Amino acid sequence: MAEKVTIADVARHAGVSRQTVSNVLNTPEVVREETRQRVLDAVEELGYRVNQAARQMRTGRSRLIATRIEPDRDGINGSVLDRFLHGLTESAARAGYRVLLYTADDDTAEIATFEDLLGAYEPDAFVLTGTHHGDIRTSWLLGRGMPFVTFGRPWGVPDGAPHAWVDVDGAAGTAAATRHLLDTGHRRIGFLGWPAGSGVGDDRREGWARTLRAAGVDPAGLDRATSDGVDDGETAARDLLESGDPATALVCASDSLALGALHAVRSPGAAVPSEDRAGPPVAVIGFDDTPVAKAVGITSLSQPLAEAATSCVTLLTRLLDGDNRTPGSSGDPHPHVLLQPSLVRRRSG
Amino acid sequence: MAEKVTIADVARHAGVSRQTVSNVLNTPEVVREETRQRVLDAVEELGYRVNQAARQMRTGRSRLIATRIEPDRDGINGSVLDRFLHGLTESAARAGYRVLLYTADDDTAEIATFEDLLGAYEPDAFVLTGTHHGDIRTSWLLGRGMPFVTFGRPWGVPDGAPHAWVDVDGAAGTAAATRHLLDTGHRRIGFLGWPAGSGVGDDRREGWARTLRAAGVDPAGLDRATSDGVDDGETAARDLLESGDPATALVCASDSLALGALHAVRSPGAAVPSEDRAGPPVAVIGFDDTPVAKAVGITSLSQPLAEAATSCVTLLTRLLDGDNRTPGSSGDPHPHVLLQPSLVRRRSG
């Protein structure tokens, strides 16, 4: 079994000190020609690999992009960020970078992890996910001049986002879903979402509300807010479906909520007829086009996740290789990409 | 905005060469005390971070564990390895390691990626997934004395596996599923799996077959082999359900196949009654307990993925920190952990 060749082996073989070997690899100009040649011959004979550490000391680049892997939630919506991670790993590899993973339970823990990663691994950049109002992670990275891109807009920041970002246009997605339901004859179209204050959730609600208003339907009373999850979705949907003037279709902020809504539609106690093979009588549209939506037959909005990942890497490499790393320099220092989701039609609506 | 402090800044501030700064950080014993103090003062004043590159050159450790992220398949079964990756990232962090991701389409591409990673990042170890008969990746890593653990057994290697591994006992899982179906009165229990030659698939088939035989049921003619996927599962299940003496229950090698089987059971053209709310008349059990199984109500076998990830990290740190890195040394050089899956009962069986 081949043992790993170390710098000490090279030094012994060439009859020089380890420091001299290190000098040859890092600052060859300080080493005499004859010694340098002897060390390089030893490097070749022993098959010593000039390693990442040595290269990184010369180039100042680790070729690492760090990103967080989120804890499993209900297992349905978590698949979105997993698919993004697949795309990110592939796009990064094409650009000559590898992805370094970390976990963190909240913003504060994530910032502590930034410190740790910067000290121990020196990633060249970060890709942040799950942006939200008052996101202290981005200001921390900005304060340190650390290059990063967010998958998700800088919510709640007035014009002139202070960093590069990539996002999917959630409002355009729910608007398309609502238009589709209007086109198929629905008027009382409800919205199942999250409590106000979540950037992503408010955006998705807005697309639904403005489309209803444009069609002359008052959205008031037609939406319910709940925490994300199948059971909460079912409860909130039942509330909408059993009101005085019940909704005949539901646009949902996630596939978890949509699955819950479908349970409400199909449950024996519901005020609506139970399932028939042509699809439920109350139309349900989810968001994220997860494997669960596909398996259950839920119409859903698909995010172009591979394209989002590629866009993140493109913006990052521009930050890392370009001259616009510091705000205020020439070029657009904070480029962004807003992608469009697409409606994938299935039996549910 | 803070600019990154470089080794050149420190050298300028201390009035020494970059090489001297590098010497102070890497081989302080070769630097005069007075100079060393001047450099260290400059390091402190400027807030220069002694970086990973410098530390790695001293310790010979990158604190990186490399693992592959698989391409999305049908999105159902892929979630298993995504969940394993979540666990691996968390377990690795607790042990002081980070996870470095790569992609590869096949064994040959993966080995080329090993070369690239070893040259560019020097991971301390690999965690391989998707082991199979004739796995050339493990022999490649063994040949280079590179520490690694596989999540998956070394299939087809006679006694004395040449490396450390962690796996889940698939045969025990399908045996438990088959026993459960026998206990609820089924006798003609079919098996839906993959063509012979896949280690994982053959193992799962074996647990079903031996349990049937032990109960006095001849498994001959009761199994079908197909490629993994919902549509193929549906076709193969229909074939089993429409044979002369049809199966009344199906144990499946994956949740994708189980979902296909459920479609066959419920389809209008099936030779069996269509769905009623108490569950389908033909029992179906899947494997992997994916979010889809939960959403659709499929009884399935759950793999302890977090525990598998933790076991991988435990075995790796033992390899990296212990003295049994080379086969033949004291201790068990090839420890392994075989975990038990558990049956999660839902409406389908």
Side-chain angles (χ1 to χ4, degrees), chain A residues 19 27 52 63 70 86 120, chain B residues 19 27 52 70 86 120-121:
Chain A
Q19 183 57 48
T27 48
Q52 161 69 359
R63 310 296 299 183
E70 299 220 334
H86 284 259
Chain B
Q19 183 56 48
T27 49
Q52 162 68 0
E70 299 219 334
H86 283 258
Y121 297 94

Side-chain angles (χ1 to χ4, degrees), chain B residues 82-113:
Chain B
D82 286 334
R83 280 156 64 205
F84 174 74
L85 183 61
H86 283 258
L88 187 66
T89 305
E90 290 177 18
S91 302
R94 282 193 293 271
Y97 291 86
R98 298 290 175 183
V99 171
L100 182 69
L101 288 182
Y102 62 91
T103 57
D105 288 334
D106 56 31
D107 282 5
T108 309
E110 188 160 354
I111 287 174
T113 307

Side-chain angles (χ1 to χ4, degrees), chain B:
Chain B
M1 183 163 296
E3 281 295 323
K4 187 169 159 181
V5 178
T6 67
I7 210 163
D9 297 329
V10 174
R12 206 173 308 116
H13 197 83
V16 300
S17 70
R18 285 180 63 229
Q19 183 56 48
T20 301
V21 176
S22 172
N23 287 350
V24 169
L25 299 174
N26 292 298
T27 49
E29 64 280 9
V30 307
V31 184
R32 278 192 308 138
E33 171 59 27
E34 186 266 339
T35 310
R36 191 162 69 208
Q37 199 51 56
R38 193 141 41 94
V39 170
L40 291 176
D41 287 349
V43 163
E44 192 165 332
E45 279 166 42
L46 296 178
Y48 176 75
R49 247 175 313 100
V50 179
N51 70 9
Q52 162 68 0
R55 194 174 315 157
Q56 186 176 336
M57 284 200 73
R58 284 197 306 280
T59 64
R61 286 282 186 91
S62 65
R63 310 297 299 184
L64 288 172
I65 295 172
T67 198
R68 185 180 66 177
I69 188 165
E70 299 219 334
D72 260 337
R73 284 175 298 176
D74 62 9
I76 297 178
N77 303 327
S79 68
V80 173
L81 284 175
D82 286 334
R83 280 156 64 205
F84 174 74
L85 183 61
H86 283 258
L88 187 66
T89 305
E90 290 177 18
S91 302
R94 282 193 293 271
Y97 291 86
R98 298 290 175 183
V99 171
L100 182 69
L101 288 182
Y102 62 91
T103 57
D105 288 334
D106 56 31
D107 282 5
T108 309
E110 188 160 354
I111 287 174
T113 307
F114 291 162
E115 293 263 25
D116 178 56
L117 290 171
L118 289 170
Y121 297 94
E122 302 238 307
D124 292 335
F126 285 84
V127 173
L128 298 194
T129 56
T131 51
H132 52 84
H133 288 284
D135 200 321
I136 57 174
R137 303 171 303 165
T138 50
S139 39
W140 193 95
L141 290 172
L142 285 167
R144 271 150 195 83
M146 188 67 208
F148 68 97
V149 167
T150 59
F151 176 41
R153 265 161 277 188
W155 298 106
V157 178
D159 313 330
H163 57 78
W165 55 268
V166 173
D167 204 356
V168 175
D169 194 338
T174 50
T178 307
R179 265 195 309 275
H180 163 69
L181 292 167
L182 286 165
D183 287 349
T184 52
H186 292 280
R187 298 284 291 172
R188 297 213 33 99
I189 301 167
F191 182 79
L192 221 62
W194 309 310
S198 122
V200 174
D202 295 350
D203 185 51
R204 292 181 184 177
R205 181 182 291 105
E206 175 54 26
W208 158 80
R210 76 174 180 229
T211 308
L212 271 195
R213 277 192 294 263
V217 180
D218 181 3
L222 276 172
D223 73 308
R224 292 293 182 279
T226 180
S227 56
D228 201 54
V230 178
D231 293 343
D232 288 334
E234 181 172 351
T235 304
R238 186 163 288 132
D239 189 45
L240 260 176
L241 296 173
E242 291 172 358
S243 71
D245 190 3
T248 65
L250 296 174
V251 174
C252 305
S254 74
D255 281 350
S256 298
L257 292 177
L259 181 61
L262 216 58
H263 289 170
V265 167
R266 293 175 175 178
S267 73
V272 287
S274 66
E275 179 187 21
D276 65 60
R277 298 225 70 83
V282 173
V284 171
I285 299 185
F287 208 111
D288 280 343
D289 191 30
T290 59
V292 166
K294 189 178 176 196
V296 178
I298 299 176
T299 295
S300 189
L301 288 151
S302 173
Q303 299 199 39
L305 295 167
E307 196 179 343
T310 302
S311 299
C312 284
V313 171
T314 302
L315 294 188
L316 270 190
T317 51
R318 209 185 292 169
L319 284 174
L320 291 167
D321 302 329
D323 63 344
N324 49 10
R325 186 163 156 180
T326 310
S329 67
S330 63
D332 178 2
H334 310 306
H336 62 266
V337 175
L338 188 60
L339 300 167
Q340 297 303 309
S342 54
L343 191 68
V344 179
R345 292 198 53 190
R346 299 200 180 90
R347 285 176 307 155
S348 79

Side-chain angles (χ1 to χ4, degrees), chain A residues 309-334:
Chain A
T310 303
S311 298
C312 283
V313 172
T314 303
L315 294 189
L316 271 188
T317 51
R318 211 185 291 170
L319 284 174
L320 291 167
D321 301 329
D323 64 342
N324 50 9
R325 188 164 156 178
T326 310
S329 67
S330 63
D332 178 3
H334 311 308

Side-chain angles (χ1 to χ4, degrees), chain A residues 18-206:
Chain A
R18 285 180 61 230
Q19 183 57 48
T20 300
V21 177
S22 172
N23 286 350
V24 169
L25 299 174
N26 292 299
T27 48
E29 65 278 11
V30 308
V31 184
R32 278 191 309 138
E33 172 59 28
E34 186 267 337
T35 310
R36 192 162 69 207
Q37 199 50 58
R38 191 140 45 93
V39 169
L40 290 175
D41 287 348
V43 163
E44 192 165 332
E45 280 167 40
L46 297 178
Y48 176 75
R49 248 177 310 102
V50 178
N51 71 7
Q52 161 69 359
R55 194 176 313 156
Q56 185 176 335
M57 283 199 73
R58 283 199 305 279
T59 65
R61 285 282 185 92
S62 65
R63 310 296 299 183
L64 289 171
I65 294 172
T67 198
R68 185 180 67 176
I69 189 166
E70 299 220 334
D72 261 336
R73 284 175 297 178
D74 62 9
I76 297 178
N77 303 327
S79 68
V80 174
L81 284 174
D82 286 335
R83 280 157 62 207
F84 174 74
L85 183 61
H86 284 259
L88 187 67
T89 305
E90 290 177 20
S91 302
R94 283 193 293 270
Y97 290 86
R98 298 289 175 183
V99 171
L100 182 69
L101 288 182
Y102 62 90
T103 56
D105 289 333
D106 56 32
D107 283 4
T108 309
E110 188 159 356
I111 287 174
T113 307
F114 290 162
E115 293 263 24
D116 179 56
L117 289 171
L118 289 171
Y121 297 93
E122 302 238 307
D124 292 334
F126 286 84
V127 172
L128 298 193
T129 55
T131 51
H132 52 84
H133 288 283
D135 200 322
I136 57 175
R137 303 171 304 164
T138 50
S139 39
W140 193 95
L141 290 172
L142 285 167
R144 272 152 194 81
M146 188 68 207
F148 69 96
V149 167
T150 60
F151 177 40
R153 265 160 277 187
W155 298 106
V157 177
D159 313 331
H163 57 77
W165 56 267
V166 173
D167 204 356
V168 175
D169 193 338
T174 49
T178 307
R179 266 195 307 276
H180 163 68
L181 292 168
L182 286 166
D183 288 349
T184 52
H186 292 279
R187 299 283 292 172
R188 300 221 20 107
I189 301 166
F191 181 80
L192 221 62
W194 308 310
S198 123
V200 174
D202 295 349
D203 186 50
R204 293 182 185 177
R205 181 182 290 104
E206 174 54 25

